[in-house]
């Protein structure tokens, strides 16, 4: 019998180098040092507009797949979070000078859009245990970076709480998020979900997260 918590600890150790790259990413550092300006933040908003639009559909599909299963409430919470993020993103985008028409016209960069494409694949094909593990491994690094960005945007760009709410939403996940995700993973393992598939989902989503930040940095840097 495989223990979900032990498996997640193992996955965390395996992915520690990638996680460290995310938490020390030069994009965040460049923004903090004033090397990335308000104009470049429009790129961030445009990419997130496409990502959240896709992730909303993926989360809705997860609810349709697993709504009557034990994992249904978990994915419903994800969908509600994505919906709140969508509204908050529009406020942030307006703060950096983008209209919703301009957001719709933004053409996503392949390297930044790969994450959401894989998320759509997971929603279509993966088990709930794989998806919960991918979220559980990925969200802490994304959330920590969002927390840093919230602070930087307030200090360097004079944005208010409402204008950085998009970042704050991800910086403070629900208190029950980890326990609920672990429960879903354990249920999947008990049903026979292969640990290697859970590891794969977490590894790939984390790698695509790094690709997102790398693409933003490369495109935003002088």
């Amino acid at each position: 019998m495989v223990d979900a918590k032990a498996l997640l600890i193992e996955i965390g150790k395996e992915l520690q180098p990638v996680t460290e790259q995310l938490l020390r990413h030069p994009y965040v550092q460049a923004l903090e040092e004033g090397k990335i300006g308000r104009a470049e933040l429009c790129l961030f908003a445009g990419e997130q507009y496409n990502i959240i639009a896709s992730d909303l559909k993926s989360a809705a599909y997860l609810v349709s797949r697993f709504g009557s299963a034990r994992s249904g409430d978990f994915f419903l919470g994800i969908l509600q979070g994505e919906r709140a993020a969508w509204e908050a993103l529009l406020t942030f985008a307006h703060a950096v000078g983008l209209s919703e028409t301009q957001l719709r016209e933004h053409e996503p960069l392949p390297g930044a859009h790969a994450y959401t494409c894989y998320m759509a694949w997971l929603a279509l094909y993966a088990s709930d245990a794989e998806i919960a593990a991918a979220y559980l491994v990925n969200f802490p690094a994304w959330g920590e970076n969002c927390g840093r960005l919230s602070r930087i945007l307030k200090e360097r760009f004079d944005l208010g709480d409402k204008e950085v709410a998009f970042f704050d939403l991800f910086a403070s996940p629900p208190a029950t998020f980890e326990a609920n995700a672990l429960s879903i993973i354990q249920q999947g393992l008990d049903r026979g979900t292969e640990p290697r598939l859970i590891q794969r989902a977490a590894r790939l989503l984390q790698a695509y997260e790094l690709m997102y930040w790398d693409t933003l940095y490369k495109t935003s840097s002088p």
Side-chain angles (χ1 to χ4, degrees):
M1 188 74 69
V2 180
D3 178 72
K5 193 167 186 178
L7 178 61
L8 265 292
I9 291 172
E10 180 183 335
I11 294 172
K13 289 178 180 177
E14 176 191 349
L15 298 182
Q16 188 60 31
V18 179
T19 301
E20 289 179 0
Q21 289 180 70
L22 287 169
L23 296 178
R24 301 196 311 266
H25 203 277
Y27 178 89
V28 181
Q29 183 177 347
L31 189 66
E32 193 166 31
E33 294 173 352
K35 297 177 181 177
I36 292 176
R38 188 177 290 261
E40 288 74 30
L41 288 173
C42 293
L43 174 66
F44 185 101
E47 293 300 325
Q48 283 298 318
Y49 183 84
N50 284 279
I51 289 170
I52 300 296
S54 178
D55 285 355
L56 265 170
K57 296 181 181 72
S58 295
Y61 189 69
L62 286 170
V63 172
S64 75
R65 280 186 69 193
F66 301 110
S68 60
R70 291 183 182 179
S71 55
D73 286 345
F74 178 82
F75 293 120
L76 181 58
I78 295 290
L79 176 59
Q80 292 168 339
E82 294 288 355
R83 182 61 195 175
W86 176 259
E87 297 296 335
L89 175 65
L90 297 180
T91 301
F92 167 70
H94 293 157
V96 296
L98 286 177
S99 67
E100 192 163 0
T101 298
Q102 290 172 306
L103 288 170
R104 284 195 298 269
E105 292 172 350
H106 176 80
E107 290 297 326
L109 298 168
H113 203 61
Y115 172 101
T116 199
C117 293
Y118 183 59
M119 191 65 246
W121 186 94
L122 288 173
L124 186 61
Y125 294 113
S127 68
D128 52 359
E130 294 165 64
I131 299 163
Y135 277 137
L136 185 55
V137 170
N138 176 249
F139 275 15
W142 165 248
E144 186 165 336
N145 275 340
C146 281
R148 291 179 62 193
L149 287 173
S150 174
R151 177 182 56 80
I152 294 166
L153 292 170
K154 287 179 180 179
E155 293 176 356
R156 298 198 63 91
F157 296 88
D158 296 322
L159 299 188
D161 289 342
K162 187 176 180 180
E163 294 164 324
V164 301
F166 172 81
F167 303 93
D168 293 336
L169 281 169
F170 290 109
S172 303
T176 58
F177 178 79
E178 181 176 355
N180 290 343
L182 281 172
S183 177
I184 293 167
I185 297 164
Q186 189 63 63
Q187 290 164 20
L189 289 167
D190 294 345
R191 291 193 307 266
T193 302
E194 295 184 55
R196 70 181 181 86
L197 296 180
I198 291 173
Q199 290 174 300
R200 178 188 296 172
R203 175 177 59 82
L204 288 177
L205 196 65
Q206 197 78 327
Y208 288 131
E209 171 82 13
L210 181 59
M211 189 183 295
Y212 167 80
W213 290 106
D214 287 347
T215 302
L216 276 188
Y217 180 62
K218 181 179 179 180
T219 309
S220 301
S221 300

